[in-house]
Amino acid sequence: MTTVDPARAVVDVITGTWRTQALYAAVKLRLPDHIAAGCGTGERLAAAAEVGPDAVVRLMRLLTAIGVFGGDDTTGYTLTPVSDLLRDGVPGSMRDMCLLYGEEFHEAWGATVPALRTGRSGFEDAFGRTLHQYLADEPDAGPRFLRAMNAGGSFFAEVANGHDFGTGTVVDVAGGSGMLLSSILLAHQGAHGVLFDREHMVQVAKEHLTTTVAGDRFDVVSGDFFESVPTGADTYVLSRILQDWDDRRCVDLLTTVRRAMRAESARLLVVERVVDEDGARLLPLLFDLHLMVMAGGRERTMAGYRSLLAAAGLRLESVRDLALETSLLVARPV
Ligand SMILES: C[S@@+](CC[C@H](N)C(=O)[O-])C[C@H]1O[C@@H](n2cnc3c(N)ncnc32)[C@H](O)[C@@H]1O
């Protein structure tokens, strides 16, 4: 067994946010895009990003040491598969996720102690309103948030291919960007889709679905899932939704969905991270705290999801693992 120097362990944890902010700075300054455009040396990168050459070389030295970039100042910096994903506009780009986590989410994490004390989200403490209110108020915040959500959506194809949507109607409740729904509709040519979300969020999905799926295969409906969702569909999807709410609100919204499920054969697909009873997997634990800080929400154990579903008249039927330690839970009406 190797012994870990406890002081070293503390320093390793403390410096975690420095990595985040170094990566954020590189993305904000578009260093991956400048390298892709041929600005390999520190001097050329500094000129392109309008920063000091010594500073940029020091930033690049750290990010190269942790595998984000390759090469060096003499031979020229290169992209690695990691920094390739940080370019603007490439398929699966994680640029917007880096920006959101480095800006608003970083600031909200600064209010972790008040969040622990009050039960209100750190985001509210930092920005004076909830995350969802902020998305409604701030021009461009909604589309930026949805692009960041897409970057963490590498499980979309697994959901689309991992369930038989048949030729029925699928309602993606609070479906955000529409990317999950388009993946489902492209994988199941006979299915019809309904994207449901808040009025201020649906424009992104409308544009995305219009360019990816034939116009007669989907509808976009706006509303509040605590009041009602489109009724009578064969499949309902709640992807990364329960995570934003406390148990009482989750039961409210699951009850709305349950009421909309008219047929015995209707199914609800829930996509969430599951906290292991023994806390084995780290990502669900990290996101559990992240959701407390961002939205006053949480990740749950399997028992937690079962009990929410049961309170709304639903029963868990199956579970499968997806990418990024996410799970697909399929529930049926009791
Ligand atoms: C974390 S995002 C998840 C988006 C998408 N399902 C995904 O997995 O990428 C949460 C979504 O819930 C929507 N939302 C929040 N409150 C809502 C409400 N009361 N009614 C309908 N949608 C809501 C937000 O607009 C946002 O699109």
Side-chain angles (χ1 to χ4, degrees):
M1 204 173 109
T2 49
T3 42
V4 182
D5 172 9
R8 172 63 201 238
V10 172
V11 169
D12 280 347
V13 175
I14 286 174
T15 53
T17 75
W18 302 355
R19 291 164 203 247
T20 317
Q21 287 304 304
L23 188 71
Y24 160 71
V27 171
K28 182 79 181 170
L29 295 170
R30 297 185 174 277
L31 300 188
D33 299 301
H34 295 319
I35 292 172
C39 301
T41 62
E43 205 143 297
R44 292 194 64 192
L45 269 181
E50 298 177 2
V51 293
D54 174 60
V56 86
V57 168
R58 288 159 64 192
L59 178 66
M60 291 299 291
R61 190 169 55 188
L62 169 65
L63 291 171
T64 301
I66 61 174
V68 175
F69 294 105
D72 57 36
D73 188 32
T74 319
T75 58
Y77 295 107
T78 56
L79 295 176
T80 65
V82 176
S83 39
D84 202 42
L85 270 184
L86 300 174
R87 290 162 59 199
D88 196 3
V90 296
S93 170
M94 299 182 90
R95 174 181 160 78
D96 286 298
M97 191 175 181
C98 276
L99 296 179
L100 185 68
Y101 279 66
E103 292 172 3
E104 285 100 327
F105 286 4
H106 181 71
E107 213 172 316
W109 266 96
T112 303
V113 173
L116 287 161
R117 286 220 165 96
T118 63
R120 248 194 352 262
S121 70
F123 195 95
E124 267 177 276
D125 201 75
F127 292 92
R129 57 214 141 136
T130 65
L131 169 61
H132 290 295
Q133 193 53 50
Y134 178 86
L135 297 180
D137 294 345
E138 293 297 317
D140 198 42
R144 269 197 308 125
F145 175 78
L146 293 178
R147 288 197 297 271
M149 291 302 295
N150 281 347
S154 50
F155 56 82
F156 287 165
E158 291 175 295
V159 175
N161 296 314
H163 182 81
D164 184 7
F165 291 87
T167 55
T169 298
V170 46
V171 181
D172 193 356
V173 178
S177 69
M179 202 175 231
L180 174 56
L181 186 61
S182 69
S183 307
I184 292 170
L185 295 179
L186 292 173
H188 302 269
Q189 286 297 328
H192 184 85
V194 180
L195 189 296
F196 179 85
D197 209 302
R198 305 305 312 251
E199 176 65 33
H200 61 270
M201 295 296 264
V202 293
Q203 192 52 32
V204 171
K206 263 184 202 159
E207 283 165 22
H208 172 72
L209 289 165
T210 304
T211 56
T212 48
V213 181
D216 58 353
R217 294 197 56 212
F218 70 88
D219 295 293
V220 175
V221 179
S222 62
D224 179 350
F225 53 40
F226 291 116
E227 289 173 8
S228 65
V229 298
T231 57
D234 303 280
T235 313
Y236 288 83
V237 179
L238 282 172
S239 164
R240 300 186 284 187
I241 303 305
L242 300 181
Q243 61 173 24
D244 282 352
W245 306 96
D246 63 23
D247 285 0
R248 188 179 59 80
R249 298 301 269 163
C250 282
V251 173
D252 289 347
L253 87 86
L254 283 168
T255 303
T256 315
V257 174
R258 171 66 189 88
R259 265 203 308 268
M261 296 166 80
R262 296 282 156 86
E264 284 268 306
S265 56
R267 291 292 179 270
L268 168 65
L269 273 50
V270 173
V271 179
E272 292 291 351
R273 290 202 167 84
V274 178
V275 172
D276 301 310
E277 295 290 350
D278 61 359
R281 289 175 300 178
L282 197 58
L283 213 48
L285 305 182
L286 282 167
F287 270 96
D288 180 43
L289 217 59
H290 176 70
L291 290 161
M292 177 174 72
V293 173
M294 288 317 130
R298 65 186 308 139
E299 303 288 16
R300 295 170 168 90
T301 61
M302 201 57 87
Y305 290 114
R306 267 205 188 89
S307 111
L308 289 182
L309 291 166
L314 293 155
R315 189 171 64 236
L316 187 61
E317 192 174 53
S318 67
V319 181
R320 65 185 285 169
D321 290 339
L322 306 174
L324 290 175
E325 293 173 20
T326 306
S327 300
L328 172 63
L329 283 59
V330 180
R332 54 172 302 161
V334 173

